[in-house]
Amino acid sequence: MMGSATTRLLFLDNLRTCLTMLVVAHHAAQPYGPTGGAWPIFNPERAAILGPFFAVNASFFMGLFFFISGYCLPAAYDRKGWQQFLRSRFQRLGLPLLFFSLVIFPIVLYRLAAPSISFFAFIDQVYIQSLEIEVAHLWFLVHLLFYAVCYALWRQLRRRFDGRAISSGYNRFIPGYRAVLMYLFGLTVVTFIVRIDYSIDRWVPLFGFLPTEIAHLPQYASLFVLGIVAYRCHWLRNINRHQGFAWLRIGLGAALLRYGYSLSRDRLRLPDVIAGGGLDWRSLVWSGWEATICVGLCLGLLVLFREKINSRGAFFRLLSQQAYGVYLIHILPILYLQLAVARVPVGPLEKFGIVTLVGMPLCFGCSVLLRRLPLVRLVVP
């Protein structure tokens, strides 16, 4: 069991750092595997094993990011009050979002596209005429900023019309197997219904400004809300370790089964039970399968890190301090490393390995250097 809030946040920092490293590896693999998304670097040869790597990652890692973000939100609001809370959110999330989307990404896209027109003509054609702004991987920041504003409004409305302390409306319910299974079932059903019209990797501007992959929105939004509830109800302190490890085994088993199915389907002539969306029984199967991976790994990793990875030395403290900076900047080193190895005569898995092994320390090193700049420390203290 955990003691203080500081100890609790320590293991969350460790988990967040590992998730950030997984995000770097996920993007490092994009040109080299069968992904349904768009990527500016194209490699004609693909490695089949990266298909389930993408699928398993997408099943849980951004959802777990949303859960951790939701868990940390109430404490920040309680400590700062609504005005300072929103000011800090716009400073930490809004400033890098504006800088990268309006300054960095247009330059990078122009250099990668290498068009025959001038830079300003390119900006007019791609950005101004289409009225679209590229945020790339920073869509996560857009969502967090939007959710933070919604949370602040909800807290203000609750205070005005209710008047009770915010914690008074919560009981100390700790979810057991039945509650977790109910959430898994609900997530499966809602995900399947949503994917009838919105397939995986289809992005739309929700509300006109929120870049969203609707197919995974039920997972992201529900886990963000559950993170808030988990903080108020002290779930992470009190969830039984045996239950957590049981769900970890279930999540790992479902993930390994996804790898085994993808790699042996053609050889064993197994039926195709994976569909990205539509009114299709295969979409229902994958929605449930994905929800099982999500619930098992999210709950299991939280308990695993709480029990086994709840301390760190100077090196891991340094890594944790760079995690947010790495998330912000990692796309740039990764893209240029992918360009650098494009003509290297090796297979896609070898290229993935090179980009990951070189890109990981490069991203953390760049974050260390950038965080020494005073303006950067306003965003990444």
Side-chain angles (χ1 to χ4, degrees):
M1 291 299 174
M2 298 174 299
S4 65
T6 302
T7 305
R8 184 166 63 250
L9 291 176
L10 185 61
F11 85 84
L12 286 183
D13 285 342
N14 293 337
L15 178 54
R16 185 160 37 198
T17 301
C18 291
L19 289 174
T20 301
M21 297 171 72
L22 183 58
V23 168
V24 176
H26 186 91
H27 287 148
Q30 287 292 320
Y32 313 121
T35 177
W39 194 254
I41 308 298
F42 176 76
N43 191 77
E45 188 180 1
R46 303 297 174 105
I49 194 172
L50 292 178
F53 177 71
F54 295 137
V56 170
N57 291 346
S59 297
F60 83 97
F61 72 158
M62 293 310 299
L64 189 47
F65 263 128
F66 275 108
F67 179 91
I68 295 173
S69 299
Y71 185 86
C72 296
L73 209 63
Y77 188 98
D78 294 344
R79 185 173 62 253
K80 299 176 180 179
W82 74 272
Q83 290 182 322
Q84 181 60 30
F85 169 78
L86 288 179
R87 188 180 298 114
S88 67
R89 293 298 92 184
F90 277 98
Q91 177 177 303
R92 185 169 172 81
L93 302 173
L95 289 181
L97 183 62
L98 289 174
F99 177 71
F100 276 88
S101 60
L102 298 181
V103 178
I104 300 298
F105 291 154
I107 297 174
V108 172
L109 290 176
Y110 179 75
R111 293 295 300 273
L112 291 176
S116 57
I117 58 178
S118 69
F119 174 72
F120 294 104
F122 173 80
I123 295 300
D124 177 68
Q125 182 182 88
V126 175
Y127 281 80
I128 298 176
Q129 293 184 23
S130 65
L131 297 177
E132 293 183 3
I133 297 178
E134 179 60 64
V135 297
H137 65 296
L138 301 186
W139 65 267
F140 179 56
L141 273 63
V142 184
H143 280 251
L144 290 186
L145 192 55
F146 177 73
Y147 295 165
V149 172
C150 291
Y151 180 76
L153 290 174
W154 175 73
R155 288 287 298 266
Q156 285 296 299
L157 289 173
R158 181 185 175 99
R159 179 183 179 184
R160 176 171 299 181
F161 294 105
D162 194 334
R164 295 179 296 171
I166 189 67
S167 61
S168 64
Y170 293 89
N171 56 34
R172 290 294 180 260
F173 166 73
I174 304 300
Y177 287 101
R178 179 180 299 179
V180 175
L181 284 170
M182 289 176 62
Y183 171 73
L184 193 158
F185 177 77
L187 180 60
T188 297
V189 172
V190 174
T191 298
F192 169 68
I193 293 172
V194 165
R195 290 181 182 179
I196 293 175
D197 292 320
Y198 294 94
S199 60
I200 296 175
D201 290 319
R202 179 188 170 189
W203 289 76
V204 299
L206 192 63
F207 308 126
F209 68 91
L210 202 63
T212 306
E213 186 194 17
I214 303 293
H216 281 110
L217 184 60
Q219 177 194 136
Y220 299 160
S222 62
L223 284 174
F224 183 83
V225 173
L226 286 176
I228 295 173
V229 177
Y231 174 81
R232 292 297 179 192
C233 294
H234 307 290
W235 285 359
L236 298 190
R237 177 184 299 175
N238 295 304
I239 288 179
N240 184 277
R241 68 188 304 271
H242 298 293
Q243 179 185 354
F245 289 142
W247 279 109
L248 180 62
R249 288 190 289 269
I250 292 171
L252 288 174
L256 290 174
L257 185 62
R258 180 65 171 86
Y259 275 90
Y261 170 80
S262 294
L263 296 178
S264 60
R265 184 172 70 88
D266 292 337
R267 181 169 54 87
L268 299 179
R269 297 180 181 180
L270 298 174
D272 183 6
V273 297
I274 304 293
L279 191 59
D280 189 320
W281 67 269
R282 296 175 302 166
S283 179
L284 178 61
V285 169
W286 177 237
S287 295
W289 197 344
E290 183 182 77
T292 304
I293 297 173
C294 173
V295 171
L297 292 186
C298 287
L299 181 54
L301 288 173
L302 286 165
V303 173
L304 174 67
F305 274 69
R306 185 192 73 186
E307 297 292 327
K308 303 295 184 181
I309 316 176
N310 203 10
S311 62
R312 60 169 181 251
F315 177 70
F316 288 101
R317 184 181 300 110
L318 177 66
L319 293 183
S320 177
Q321 291 170 346
Q322 313 311 317
Y324 183 52
V326 168
Y327 185 87
L328 292 177
I329 69 168
H330 76 275
I331 284 293
L332 305 180
I334 291 300
L335 282 174
Y336 285 105
L337 282 172
Q338 289 168 344
L339 275 177
V341 303
R343 297 183 181 276
V344 177
V346 295
L349 276 181
E350 288 80 3
K351 290 181 179 179
F352 165 56
I354 293 170
V355 173
T356 302
L357 292 176
V358 176
M360 198 75 71
L362 180 61
C363 291
F364 278 88
C366 288
S367 177
V368 170
L369 295 176
L370 289 172
R371 288 181 69 247
R372 296 179 179 178
L373 300 176
L375 290 178
V376 174
R377 291 189 68 85
L378 290 175
V379 174
V380 191

